[in-house]
Amino acid sequence: MSPANLVEITALNISFGSNSVIDNVSMTLKPGEITTLIGPNGAGKTTLVKAVLGLLSPTSGTIRRASTLRIGYMPQKLHIDTTFPLTVERFLKTAAFASIEDRCLALQAVRAEHLLKQSVHSLSGGEMQRVLLARALLRKPELLVLDEPAQGVDINGQTELYRLIASIRDKYNCAVLMISHDLHLVMAATDQVICLNHHICCSGHPEQVSADPSYIELFGIPGAENLALYSHHHNHQHNNHGDILPLSEETENDHSHCGGHH
């Protein structure tokens, strides 16, 4: 395993019975690099992340991790019984044996120190995401795994949250592995984008979205100028069942963006 990598995944396959969920996936996670997994529902994104976290064993292939790798995990959402009185401070105490100073520093890192004494039940969606992110930071992670961190956050809040994640990457020099369910939107701070539909359809570095109306029309949302597309070479497409179909030479040459083709 290269000392430059935190995680190396080689020819990974994961099946549940006769159902193949991850098919021949290879990828690496490096310090200071943000990798975003995108793809449709049921594409295997969560399964792949569970394998990275060590919660699932591969059917075949290998996952190699740095020997002392510290991982911080932020779930997509957390259901807390509304009858259970819980402040942000007490919630953070459940995450790790961290000092009061560590908890305050984690909240400061996500710009949420003012929430320390508030009830978790009173938090907005964006505030709760910041608290969950602070909780993941208490492990002082070398790898930060985020499962749809912008879930339940509006577009402006998503843009700010993505900037915050980029600043945390810069501060901690950690690798970030992030899941998104949206095939069209990839935040501008991402270093590597992987389009997954059981196998890796395409991957590459994002490109800053221009103000060209055709791009804005493609995304069809306000604030598209703050997000990014990425380029790739895509040598196949899928039918409605997800099976691979060969592309004609003309179609292949025209296929410059991984959008809603999966």
Side-chain angles (χ1 to χ4, degrees):
M1 177 170 174
S2 168
N5 297 329
L6 295 174
V7 178
E8 291 181 357
I9 298 174
T10 305
L12 188 72
N13 292 280
I14 299 176
S15 298
F16 300 113
S18 60
N19 182 28
S20 175
V21 179
I22 298 295
D23 180 20
N24 195 33
V25 166
S26 298
M27 57 186 283
T28 60
L29 301 175
K30 304 175 184 296
E33 185 172 273
I34 299 177
T35 300
T36 300
L37 291 175
I38 65 171
N41 290 332
K45 301 185 299 296
T46 298
T47 297
L48 179 56
V49 163
K50 285 182 177 179
V52 171
L53 294 172
L55 301 176
L56 281 177
S57 298
T59 305
S60 63
T62 60
I63 302 177
R64 303 176 69 187
R65 304 173 189 84
S67 58
T68 58
L69 181 63
R70 294 187 307 276
I71 300 176
Y73 173 64
M74 176 183 169
Q76 182 179 139
K77 57 181 67 174
L78 194 64
H79 298 287
I80 301 174
D81 191 330
T82 56
T83 63
F84 186 62
L86 189 65
T87 63
V88 169
E89 183 177 25
R90 290 184 64 195
F91 173 68
L92 293 180
K93 286 181 180 179
T94 68
F97 295 102
S99 66
I100 295 174
E101 182 182 7
D102 286 339
R103 292 194 291 272
C104 290
L105 288 174
L107 283 175
Q108 288 172 11
V110 300
R111 300 165 201 159
E113 60 270 26
H114 60 287
L115 300 175
L116 183 66
K117 300 297 183 180
Q118 286 198 28
S119 166
V120 295
H121 305 299
S122 69
L123 302 180
S124 68
E127 288 172 338
M128 189 62 193
Q129 295 303 86
R130 287 172 186 260
V131 169
L132 288 173
L133 184 54
R135 185 178 185 271
L137 291 177
L138 287 176
R139 292 184 58 84
K140 299 178 180 176
E142 297 162 289
L143 170 61
L144 189 58
V145 179
L146 312 175
D147 189 351
E148 298 197 29
Q151 178 80 14
V153 181
D154 64 23
I155 290 296
N156 291 333
Q158 287 181 33
T159 301
E160 178 58 29
L161 189 60
Y162 290 147
R163 288 177 182 152
L164 177 61
I165 291 167
S167 72
I168 287 170
R169 178 272 309 270
D170 295 339
K171 180 177 180 178
Y172 291 86
N173 193 37
C174 58
V176 178
L177 176 62
M178 182 163 44
I179 293 179
S180 173
H181 73 283
D182 199 318
L183 289 172
H184 302 285
L185 303 180
V186 180
M187 65 137 175
T190 299
D191 299 299
Q192 179 179 209
V193 181
I194 295 175
C195 181
L196 187 72
N197 195 11
H198 304 295
H199 65 289
I200 293 178
C201 302
C202 47
S203 62
H205 296 281
E207 298 171 349
Q208 193 68 30
V209 174
S210 71
D212 189 307
S214 64
Y215 282 102
I216 296 172
E217 182 179 358
L218 175 65
F219 280 81
I221 61 165
E225 67 276 4
N226 295 321
L227 302 167
L229 285 170
Y230 63 98
S231 299
H232 68 281
H233 179 71
H234 199 161
N235 61 1
H236 62 270
Q237 63 185 10
H238 303 272
N239 62 19
N240 292 335
H241 302 289
D243 300 321
I244 299 172
L245 297 175
L247 291 178
S248 67
E249 183 177 351
E250 292 79 6
T251 305
E252 183 175 340
N253 290 338
D254 289 342
H255 215 205
S256 60
H257 297 289
C258 187
H261 300 285
H262 304 284

